[in-house]
Amino acid sequence: MFPSRIIRSIAMLLGLVVAACAAPAATGPRIRVQDAWARPGAMGIGHEMGQGMSHGGESTSAVYFVVVNDGDQPDALIGAASGVAERAELHETRMEGDVAKMQPVPRVEIPARGRVEFKPRGLHVMLIGLKRDLQVGETFTMTLRFERSGEIPVLVPVKEMAP
Amino acid sequence: MPRWFWLGVGIGLLFVAAAGAVKIALDARAESLPVYMTIPDWPFTDQEGHTFWLGQTRGKVVVLGMIYTHCPDVCPLITARMREIQEQVAAEGLSDQVFFVTITFDPERDTPEVLRRYARARKVDFTNWAFLTGDPSTIRHLTEVLGIYTERVYVIHGTPAAATPEASSNEVTYFINHTDRIFLVDRQGRVRALLPGSRTELKDAMEKIRRLVRERSGS
């Protein structure tokens, strides 16, 4: 016969296993990125600007998409990168009356079972310093970096304006 | 016929005539767009590097926008709206009467070549569209005349800088907060409509452009 202490331990362990199976599984965030597109853009021409700042030749584009989180935990978009540009930053345009104001944002919260739209006159990924022209009909890859889900590659077609 | 019959006919005709006169007056009023300001005849440089006086556009209706090419979000929409209007103007056979002008408010970065590449990437038809840059003080004065608000915001490593940075860093860049607007200018160089820039509706813009095209030069 087993000692009662062992039996109690096995029963407790079984209880924990049963409880774990019965409780809803915490899956964490489940991120999807859809409907991505970017504006056309022309590579800079290396125009040098005074005051020591050499950003005159940089040209830009913007990437728009929808982030969907099917999971039961929130996540946050914390960065982006693409081989077509020197830098990719998270930005937001805000309209104050008829004045458009743009500002960098360090992170964008993606709520559990929610979605966040990156769209014209709103949130977007700004591509700074294009390394090549982005022509309508082309596609390129961009990587979005999430706090919990890690890096997610996105295929981005270049489209005419889709306001 | 009894006299009261002819009296009734006379009164009826008077009503019809009065109603017609009122309608004509209301139509004329509806045709007339307000005058906001006159565009100065100052020299700029077009996308080919040639001098372009704004007065060159006198005699044509002008669709005028101000942008900067490093703007990734709102300015491309302004250009897209103007291109949409340009296509509709062409479809209505008005291309020889309507001219398009885009002027940068970032002349330090927007050279003629940068403007040319920016426009080409957007498949702009240069037949009746000029992209202009120029002397920074001239452009600053033009923004003041037109009531275009501009404010530079410097950014270092993706973070807004508190003040104008002195650092010689490739990581330093700036954006420009700006008014989102498109102007319609009549044949005399007077601004007659302020459209909401990137939010401009094609139907509204074309309705006003047709009115300005109908106006006779010198009226």
Side-chain angles (χ1 to χ4, degrees):
Chain A
M1 293 296 287
F2 292 108
S4 62
R5 185 184 293 174
I6 294 176
I7 291 172
R8 273 205 305 274
S9 298
I10 291 172
M12 194 178 292
L13 195 64
L14 282 173
L16 283 172
V17 169
V18 168
C21 291
T27 59
R30 284 208 318 246
I31 297 294
R32 285 185 290 131
V33 179
Q34 60 189 41
D35 302 331
W37 65 282
R39 294 191 191 283
M43 182 178 65
I45 58 169
H47 168 69
E48 292 292 320
M49 179 188 172
Q51 299 173 348
M53 288 177 286
S54 58
H55 51 260
E58 289 184 348
S59 58
T60 61
S61 180
V63 188
Y64 307 101
F65 47 87
V66 179
V67 181
V68 180
N69 183 359
D70 295 319
D72 57 7
Q73 299 289 322
D75 204 340
L77 179 60
I78 55 174
S82 174
V84 301
E86 297 290 341
R87 303 198 302 282
E89 297 178 357
L90 308 179
H91 283 231
E92 183 173 27
T93 301
R94 290 174 185 269
M95 296 299 297
E96 292 183 10
D98 62 354
V99 174
K101 296 192 170 185
M102 193 168 66
Q103 60 184 22
V105 289
R107 57 189 281 127
V108 177
E109 302 296 334
I110 314 294
R113 302 192 192 289
R115 54 190 277 142
V116 176
E117 280 189 59
F118 287 65
K119 58 186 180 182
R121 289 190 295 268
L123 288 165
H124 55 275
V125 169
M126 182 167 174
L127 301 177
I128 302 172
L130 293 178
K131 295 178 182 174
R132 64 176 175 87
D133 290 355
L134 299 180
Q135 302 281 359
V136 172
E138 294 179 351
T139 55
F140 63 91
T141 55
M142 176 180 72
T143 303
L144 296 179
R145 196 165 65 254
F146 292 88
E147 194 168 60
R148 299 184 65 186
S149 301
E151 294 189 343
I152 294 181
V154 182
L155 200 59
V156 183
V158 181
K159 291 186 177 181
E160 285 287 357
M161 307 301 156
Chain B
M1 287 282 182
R3 184 178 293 176
W4 59 266
F5 173 80
W6 292 111
L7 191 63
V9 169
I11 290 171
L13 286 173
L14 274 174
F15 266 116
V16 169
V22 167
K23 184 177 185 307
I24 288 168
L26 286 176
D27 285 351
R29 195 173 194 181
E31 286 289 313
S32 178
L33 294 168
V35 175
Y36 291 95
M37 64 204 83
T38 297
I39 300 290
D41 184 17
W42 291 339
F44 294 87
T45 305
D46 72 11
Q47 73 280 352
E48 301 299 332
H50 302 134
T51 301
F52 188 104
W53 292 79
L54 280 184
Q56 287 176 226
T57 60
R58 299 287 196 268
K60 295 193 175 188
V61 173
V62 175
V63 181
L64 187 152
M66 290 199 77
I67 63 152
Y68 74 113
T69 66
H70 285 60
C71 175
D73 195 32
V74 170
C75 296
L77 276 174
I78 294 174
T79 307
R81 295 298 188 206
M82 289 177 64
R83 190 168 155 260
E84 196 177 43
I85 295 168
Q86 187 189 35
E87 287 175 355
Q88 186 60 33
V89 161
E92 297 186 18
L94 301 174
S95 293
D96 60 338
Q97 298 187 65
V98 182
F99 199 85
F100 293 77
V101 175
T102 294
I103 306 175
T104 178
F105 41 68
D106 188 15
E108 288 88 349
R109 293 189 292 192
D110 289 340
T111 62
E113 187 176 353
V114 168
L115 290 173
R116 189 167 68 245
R117 294 180 66 129
Y118 175 88
R120 279 184 178 162
R122 286 161 178 79
K123 298 181 170 29
V124 161
D125 177 4
F126 290 114
T127 307
N128 60 338
W129 195 335
F131 280 70
L132 305 181
T133 185
D135 175 65
S137 67
T138 305
I139 286 179
R140 192 178 64 252
H141 285 121
L142 183 68
T143 60
E144 289 166 3
V145 167
L146 293 176
I148 293 280
Y149 169 84
T150 62
E151 175 197 17
R152 283 190 187 187
V153 179
Y154 285 88
V155 174
I156 304 174
H157 296 292
T159 304
T164 304
E166 294 177 359
S168 57
S169 166
N170 287 345
E171 298 298 317
V172 179
T173 190
Y174 63 84
F175 312 119
I176 301 178
N177 295 333
H178 61 88
T179 304
D180 180 17
R181 192 171 289 163
I182 292 172
F183 301 86
L184 297 185
V185 184
D186 67 15
R187 298 180 194 274
Q188 290 82 56
R190 302 174 303 183
V191 173
R192 302 289 299 279
L194 310 175
L195 304 178
S198 66
R199 299 151 294 168
T200 296
E201 297 285 340
L202 177 64
K203 187 181 170 192
D204 178 49
M206 286 308 302
E207 189 255 332
K208 291 183 168 71
I209 287 170
R210 287 186 209 106
R211 282 196 211 178
L212 294 177
V213 166
R214 281 198 298 270
E215 285 186 356
R216 286 177 303 162
S217 185
S219 65

